[in-house]
Amino acid sequence: MAYASRSGRARTSASSPQAFAVCDRCGIWYNHVNLRWQFDYRGATLQNIRLLVCNTCYDTPQSQLRAIVLPADPVPIINPRVEPYVWDSTDRRQVSGYNTTNVTTGIPVPMGDTRVTSLDSVATDNIRVTQQTGEPPGGKNQLPGTDPNAVTYKNVVNVSNNGSGLIRITVTVTSGMITNQRVIIKDVLGATAANGTWVITVIDKTHLDLQDSTFAGTYTSGGYVINNPSLPYGFDEIPKTGPL
């Protein structure tokens, strides 16, 4: 019995003898078949560190010791389009009268003044313009379209009856105007019923009718039409967003 106790935790079998072995960590005897190799992470893979250990002494490989393998960088795309942060953060607010670039209105047009889209009946190379207020340098006029050179300003040539009792306005040209658009008419003399805010019907290149109007008086002179579809409903001037 004294000799048998020296075999530790190994088991002796007369019918099926098995070799003894010593655990490399605790030094206790086991049957060789009951010991196993110790593995640890070396880089990104497990490696046998050549220690035969018992189940008690076996250390589960620590995942935190595994090397981090970064994936390959993504393949660059062709012709990338990066957000123009410098352009976006540039303040382009102006009062009238500064150095200008557009030949029609004299106001800088960001990113060029060539139309990107247009009506089928309009050439795509038409130049887009920016509305002026007509004020001298440093002016603070908030009324839109009061510059005769701006595309939104039309001179009234005549005011007459359209034959159905509506007011018909004759202007120099109706380009830029569309039916059911809201406009402002001012400074008409004689046929003063035309002055005010109206919804228009475009008849041809020089004529437009004022919807729900009633013709009265005789036109003598004067008048202009402000065509500004960018105004909010119910406004007759540009809303102020801050002190100039």
Side-chain angles (χ1 to χ4, degrees), residues 12-17:
T12 302
S13 172
S15 60
S16 180

Side-chain angles (χ1 to χ4, degrees), residues 108-130:
V109 182
M111 303 296 288
D113 60 357
T114 302
R115 287 188 184 274
V116 177
T117 59
S118 66
L119 299 175
D120 292 340
S121 59
V122 180
T124 56
D125 59 350
N126 281 356
I127 301 301
R128 66 185 178 94
V129 296
T130 302

